Amino acid sequence: MYHKKRLPDKKGHFGDFGGRFVPETLIYALDELEKEYLGAKKDKGFRRELSCYLEEYAGRPTPLYQASRLSKYLGIRKVYLKREDLLHTGAHKVNNTLGQVILARRMGKKRVIAETGAGQHGVATATVAALFGMQCDIYMGEEDIRRQELNVLRMKLLGARVIAVKSGTKTLKDAMTEALRDWVTNVRSTYYIIGTVAGPHPYPAMVRDFQSVIGIETKRQVLRKEKRLPDYLVACVGGGSNAMGLFHPFFKDERVKMIGVEAAGLGLSSGKHSASLVAGSAGVLHGCKSDVLEDRSGQINNAHSIAAGLDYPGVGPEHAYYKEIGRAFYTAVCDKEAMEAFRLLSRIEGIIPALESAHAIAYLMKPGRKINKKSIVVVCLSGRGDKDLHESYC
Amino acid sequence: MNRIVKKFAELKKKKKKAFIAFITAGYPSLAVTGKLVLEFEKKGVDLIELGVPFSDPLADGPVIQEASLYSLKKKTTLAKIIALVKDLRRVTDLPICLMSYYNPVFCMGEKQFVERASAAGVDGVIIPDLPFEEAEGFANYAGRKGLVNIYFLSPTSSPERIRTISRRARGFIYYVSLTGVTGGRKNLSSDLKNNLSRIKSATSVPVCAGFGISSASQLRQVQRMCDGGIVGSAIVSKIRENISRRDLVKRTGDFVERFNV
């Protein structure tokens, strides 16, 4: 057994990581949110409403698909894909935004804001804001707006305002900083829907819980098909929400190995990557202590990845904790490898994966992969790749 | 005695209110920062806050963001700022606080930071993203080394938090006068007076208000409501305006003097 205590603790710590590193002005909002969330978790009405939306609106449960041609190509006994790409809006992000928007409504908030990188979380937020009739502002880096034009158009069509962030690297990191500034300013009227398992407590735990539906379904589905648990779970890690959603329900199943795949960008030695766990160090960014990319004097470094959704110099604190206690293994694949996987899955399975999810597939293609041939592997296919066609042909 | 504590005791005796000036260290260079500190002392500033630049200053508005970025490009680091204070201590006894986001402090190591800063003659440290739940260990250690950790209160702090933080506070309490980021505003927040009197009645530690104060008349209004006011972005803007002038220090000093008439 890893631990009997539930994590995070009362202050939001996962071992040395997590916590609340935010300006005083936001503390009351986080307290208020935590209270509301803990109440909602116990409330049957809330759970019923959320699962109703997840099933009838978003399309859950998603299939667990046995990718036979891929398995054969890879020389692995069985590879299953958890098809989050089939979910409404095209990625796992809507699992979380549905949960949070219902909380926002319970709290009487009329406006929601969000940060977005690839635009998937922005679209998922704009979608639920439209569904619940709320005002919605999305912060997105200028560089990402260029890379993910299609998602920008979707958000606008859904009635959201997309605010271009021109500071810093003009990507996800700066979008999140800007969203936090908005929240500090409009904290009384606005609900901030964070899209990943990072940020100040209670976000990492709350987003994990909302995304855990991925792992809970996977467990049920794989037990039905195989009468046993899988040997490996593989998922890409940017902020880490799809990976944590898959991993967390298996935490105590010690025989199930977990592999988180970060973005090595142009290569770990190039310095142009997003591998906070593999190549970063402990630090504090956007409200929590975790692993970050930083220089020796504590300035946050720029991240790089071909996948906008992984292009972030931090990671959820629970992943840093999993790494520290050895519960999960973290590795990284580079842009080129991810592109190969993107093409491979399209060609042999007829599934165009998001470039983010392609990182998970790419790890299975690596010659040195730490995966036994005779094993059963579940890969989280966190999103679909329609949004990436433009980038992949440039 | 800690210079901040001593300064507020003196001001109280003279029935005066504090004028605290913030500048981003290393903007436009550390050498100029040093000169500005000495110039400000002459112009009647009671306490200096030296901003440590950070790549992701989430509590700051555009003016200080831009100054931070500029300073980082000039390779300013926390270690160099501490060294600057050490140099300044040969010539001035003006109370100096460092205002830094938590990550540069965390990266240096809390203990290492406290030891180096207090040895250099830094009097206080203000960390906007280190609320008191996360600050206890740090604040205690800093206190033992003669460095005060300045706590924040804001318009959204609950009565219970006001009581708790008032009990822990040393030096002064930094009241964030509005919900938002740093930077000048046309008007002071309408609930400022009520909020400040609520806090004043809960604590014996001096309370100073900052964020959004950009004119001499606003500063005076704030000083009437509490023990002092903090001016930051307005001064940094003035530096930016004169950044390529030779008499930058004098011009900024004259601007600061106007707050103190």
Side-chain angles (χ1 to χ4, degrees):
Chain A
M1 282 296 262
Y2 278 98
H3 58 71
K4 293 196 176 101
K5 264 191 302 178
R6 279 183 169 219
L7 287 181
D9 67 13
K10 276 192 177 163
K11 285 184 173 180
H13 293 141
F14 303 88
D16 290 338
F17 305 103
R20 262 184 197 172
F21 295 85
V22 291
E24 172 68 21
T25 308
L26 292 181
I27 295 289
Y28 106 97
L30 294 167
D31 280 342
E32 187 188 44
L33 175 60
E34 186 183 11
K35 204 173 137 209
E36 191 68 32
Y37 175 58
L38 292 177
K41 233 171 129 171
K42 290 185 198 137
D43 174 5
K44 272 186 194 159
F46 173 82
R47 294 204 306 256
R48 204 179 307 125
E49 186 178 11
L50 177 58
S51 53
C52 179
Y53 277 108
L54 286 173
E55 281 168 33
E56 293 171 16
Y57 182 75
R60 300 212 74 90
T62 58
L64 185 71
Y65 163 68
Q66 189 184 339
S68 311
R69 298 236 300 152
L70 179 68
S71 312
K72 202 173 161 198
Y73 177 90
L74 295 169
I76 294 172
R77 192 169 130 223
K78 281 180 185 174
V79 176
Y80 284 99
L81 302 178
K82 180 60 175 163
R83 298 291 307 275
E84 295 298 297
D85 60 315
L86 293 177
L87 211 54
H88 181 42
T89 73
H92 70 291
K93 293 292 187 188
V94 77
N95 298 327
N96 168 45
T97 58
L98 274 170
Q100 290 202 49
V101 81
I102 299 173
L103 278 183
R105 193 195 54 195
R106 282 169 68 112
M107 293 165 81
K109 308 282 181 183
K110 301 271 190 291
R111 174 178 181 253
V112 295
I113 57 169
E115 82 294 338
T116 196
Q120 290 303 119
H121 175 57
V123 168
T125 302
T127 300
V128 299
L131 178 65
F132 282 76
M134 289 193 191
Q135 191 193 336
C136 177
D137 286 335
I138 304 290
Y139 287 91
M140 189 167 184
E142 226 176 24
E143 168 66 12
D144 290 336
I145 288 180
R146 184 193 65 73
R147 288 196 280 190
Q148 302 288 346
E149 200 187 348
L150 182 64
N151 276 340
V152 174
L153 295 175
R154 291 167 81 195
M155 286 184 267
K156 287 183 178 165
L157 184 60
L158 291 161
R161 189 162 62 125
V162 179
I163 301 170
V165 177
K166 296 179 174 124
S167 53
T169 52
K170 305 179 178 68
T171 62
L172 181 54
K173 168 184 87 122
D174 309 285
M176 192 157 178
T177 303
E178 209 53 47
L180 280 163
R181 288 187 187 120
D182 180 316
W183 201 33
V184 166
T185 308
N186 302 300
V187 61
R188 291 189 176 98
S189 65
T190 297
Y191 184 102
Y192 180 16
I193 302 186
I194 291 183
T196 191
V197 287
H201 178 66
Y203 283 101
M206 181 173 71
V207 177
R208 171 199 74 197
D209 290 348
F210 286 141
Q211 291 294 359
S212 287
V213 67
I214 302 173
I216 292 167
E217 279 177 15
T218 299
K219 205 176 209 178
R220 199 173 58 222
Q221 291 165 321
V222 82
L223 282 173
R224 198 162 52 220
K225 287 172 201 261
E226 297 291 340
K227 310 280 182 279
R228 71 171 182 91
L229 292 176
D231 300 298
Y232 298 92
L233 304 172
V234 185
C236 66
V237 178
S241 71
N242 88 88
M244 193 47 71
L246 178 65
F247 293 175
H248 187 257
F250 291 89
F251 182 83
K252 289 180 179 165
D253 303 307
E254 288 180 58
R255 290 209 182 137
V256 180
K257 298 184 183 73
M258 301 166 177
I259 300 174
V261 186
E262 296 192 290
L266 302 179
L268 292 179
S269 56
S270 72
K272 294 194 169 189
H273 60 79
S274 305
S276 322
L277 290 161
V278 174
S281 49
V284 172
L285 174 66
H286 295 148
C288 65
K289 194 180 283 178
S290 187
D291 279 343
V292 300
L293 301 177
E294 61 195 337
D295 69 13
R296 283 168 62 197
S297 54
Q299 305 299 333
I300 305 304
N301 282 340
N302 296 340
H304 167 84
S305 169
I306 192 169
L310 303 181
D311 200 344
Y312 181 66
V315 65
E318 199 166 5
H319 283 294
Y321 173 71
Y322 276 27
K323 184 189 96 174
E324 188 171 86
I325 62 169
R327 181 62 188 95
F329 165 70
Y330 294 91
T331 178
V333 303
C334 68
D335 287 351
K336 217 176 122 208
E337 292 167 315
M339 280 307 302
E340 276 168 34
F342 178 78
R343 290 196 194 94
L344 176 77
L345 198 69
S346 304
R347 294 274 170 82
I348 68 169
E349 290 287 353
I351 297 172
I352 302 173
L355 277 175
E356 291 76 11
S357 324
H359 283 71
I361 305 285
Y363 178 70
L364 302 182
M365 296 163 66
K366 262 179 118 71
R369 69 184 181 207
K370 289 190 177 173
I371 286 180
N372 188 311
K373 272 196 253 178
K374 291 177 193 153
S375 50
I376 297 175
V377 180
V378 175
V379 179
C380 187
L381 203 70
S382 55
R384 63 175 177 239
D386 313 35
K387 66 182 177 63
D388 296 312
L389 295 183
H390 173 73
E391 187 75 5
S392 60
Y393 281 98
C394 280
Chain B
M1 196 198 255
N2 180 286
R3 290 183 195 89
I4 300 168
V5 177
K6 201 171 146 196
K7 174 60 86 175
F8 278 102
E10 278 169 25
L11 287 169
K12 197 175 176 185
K13 228 183 252 171
K14 293 185 201 155
K15 294 203 160 72
K16 282 182 69 182
K17 300 298 175 77
F19 170 29
I20 300 175
F22 168 98
I23 47 174
T24 301
Y27 182 64
S29 70
L30 280 171
V32 173
T33 302
K35 286 180 195 157
L36 285 169
V37 171
L38 299 177
E39 183 74 8
F40 288 4
E41 184 179 25
K42 280 188 232 155
K43 304 295 185 183
V45 167
D46 298 301
L47 194 154
I48 292 276
E49 266 182 40
L50 286 182
V52 178
F54 182 53
S55 51
D56 295 80
L58 59 86
D60 284 303
V63 172
I64 294 175
Q65 284 176 42
E66 197 192 308
S68 300
L69 206 67
Y70 185 105
S71 174
L72 285 176
K73 279 190 185 149
K74 292 242 169 164
K75 311 251 186 253
T76 306
T77 60
L78 180 54
K80 289 183 193 167
I81 296 168
I82 292 172
L84 170 69
V85 176
K86 197 175 176 186
D87 284 347
L88 283 168
R89 277 291 167 245
R90 288 194 221 129
V91 285
T92 178
D93 259 325
L94 190 67
I96 297 176
C97 284
L98 297 187
M99 182 155 182
S100 174
Y101 287 87
Y102 183 56
N103 203 45
V105 172
F106 176 72
C107 266
M108 184 178 275
E110 287 187 354
K111 281 194 168 176
Q112 171 88 331
F113 166 76
V114 167
E115 275 154 28
R116 285 165 75 170
S118 67
V122 174
D123 306 295
V125 51
I126 307 174
I127 306 181
D129 57 349
L130 192 70
F132 99 96
E133 287 85 348
E134 300 285 355
E136 273 183 287
F138 173 74
N140 289 338
Y141 187 69
R144 284 204 297 278
K145 298 279 169 185
L147 195 65
V148 296
N149 179 58
I150 305 296
Y151 285 108
F152 285 88
L153 283 171
S154 84
T156 59
S157 302
S158 67
E160 195 194 333
R161 264 184 97 76
I162 293 176
R163 277 196 302 277
T164 316
I165 291 175
S166 298
R167 269 201 306 273
R168 306 281 168 86
R170 299 287 179 271
F172 67 94
I173 289 172
Y174 191 131
Y175 180 71
V176 179
S177 76
L178 46 82
T179 57
V181 293
T182 57
R185 307 289 197 280
K186 257 193 198 148
N187 298 306
L188 293 173
S189 175
S190 57
D191 55 4
L192 187 59
K193 196 170 178 183
N194 279 337
N195 286 341
L196 279 170
S197 64
R198 246 179 346 130
I199 295 168
K200 287 290 297 166
S201 65
T203 184
S204 54
V205 178
V207 179
C208 298
F211 281 45
I213 303 168
S214 56
S215 71
S217 72
Q218 285 176 335
L219 178 65
R220 270 194 299 281
Q221 280 181 61
V222 166
Q223 285 172 328
R224 274 197 289 273
M225 299 175 205
C226 60
D227 304 290
I230 304 156
V231 182
S233 297
I235 300 172
V236 177
S237 279
K238 201 72 197 172
I239 296 174
R240 182 177 63 184
E241 214 174 276
N242 294 298
I243 200 154
S244 50
R245 292 180 192 265
R246 272 197 203 157
D247 56 351
L248 163 68
V249 172
K250 185 183 173 299
R251 278 170 183 265
T252 314
D254 292 347
F255 177 75
V256 164
E257 189 173 27
R258 269 180 259 151
F259 279 89
N260 215 18
V261 282

